[in-house]
Amino acid sequence: MKAKVFVSLKPDVLDPQGKVVMQTLNNLGYNSVRQVRVSKMIEIELDTADREAARVELERAADKVLANPNTETFRIELED
Amino acid sequence: MKAKVFVSLKPDVLDPQGKVVMQTLNNLGYNSVRQVRVSKMIEIELDTADREAARVELERAADKVLANPNTETFRIELED
């Protein structure tokens, strides 16, 4: 089974990488760009066909390993 | 208008970050994890309501700035 875990900074947390990308785009003439936030998309292949088990394992992995609970949030998408 | 640009390594390009995440998960007992690839999700706010103009600008920005055309591919999603 394939899944995606999206790990994003919480809205109140500054994103210096996003700021640099935005300024670079503006400097290069992409003037309609107003805000940029950079997140991670982690694509995972799991050796199970049990969707419920996969979701439980991914929730734990995201909470304990993939995301920093102090500054980040995560969202899990299981593929069909 | 909001949009997302997903920037991923081409399938043939090694992803050391993904490999480290996979090994870490396996070491910690997440044994059903078989493969991990880490990509970027870049969320962009654009100061335009013109979907076609937004798509053209984002295609150019992704091709010229956000992705490395030698090693990465990108995909654009415009939000409604």
Side-chain angles (χ1 to χ4, degrees):
Chain A
M1 176 176 299
K2 289 186 181 183
K4 290 177 182 153
V5 181
F6 298 91
V7 178
S8 303
L9 289 169
K10 293 181 182 173
D12 294 340
V13 177
L14 277 180
D15 176 9
Q17 191 185 358
K19 197 128 203 147
V20 166
V21 171
M22 188 195 70
Q23 284 173 349
T24 302
L25 288 171
N26 287 163
N27 291 346
L28 291 172
Y30 299 93
N31 295 313
S32 65
V33 173
R34 279 288 158 273
Q35 215 205 333
V36 176
R37 304 279 290 178
V38 180
S39 303
K40 272 178 282 189
M41 175 174 74
I42 304 168
E43 291 170 285
I44 299 182
E45 263 185 58
L46 291 156
D47 192 18
T48 175
D50 180 338
R51 289 178 74 81
E52 213 27 65
R55 184 170 288 281
V56 168
E57 180 148 336
L58 288 172
E59 290 269 355
R60 247 186 83 87
D63 194 46
K64 299 293 178 197
V65 185
L66 303 175
N68 175 347
N70 292 329
T71 56
E72 295 173 320
T73 59
F74 63 84
R75 183 168 63 80
I76 291 167
E77 246 182 53
L78 291 179
E79 290 187 12
D80 296 326
Chain B
M1 175 177 299
K2 288 186 181 184
K4 290 177 183 154
V5 180
F6 298 90
V7 178
S8 303
L9 288 169
K10 292 181 182 174
D12 294 340
V13 177
L14 278 180
D15 177 10
Q17 191 185 359
K19 197 130 205 148
V20 166
V21 171
M22 189 195 71
Q23 286 173 349
T24 303
L25 288 171
N26 288 164
N27 291 346
L28 290 172
Y30 299 93
N31 295 313
S32 66
V33 174
R34 279 288 158 273
Q35 216 206 332
V36 176
R37 304 278 290 177
V38 180
S39 302
K40 272 177 282 188
M41 175 174 74
I42 304 167
E43 291 170 286
I44 299 181
E45 263 185 60
L46 292 156
D47 192 19
T48 173
D50 180 339
R51 290 178 74 79
E52 212 31 62
R55 184 170 288 280
V56 168
E57 180 147 337
L58 288 172
E59 291 270 355
R60 248 185 83 87
D63 194 45
K64 299 294 178 197
V65 185
L66 303 175
N68 175 347
N70 292 328
T71 57
E72 295 173 321
T73 58
F74 63 84
R75 183 168 63 79
I76 291 167
E77 248 182 51
L78 291 180
E79 291 186 12
D80 296 326

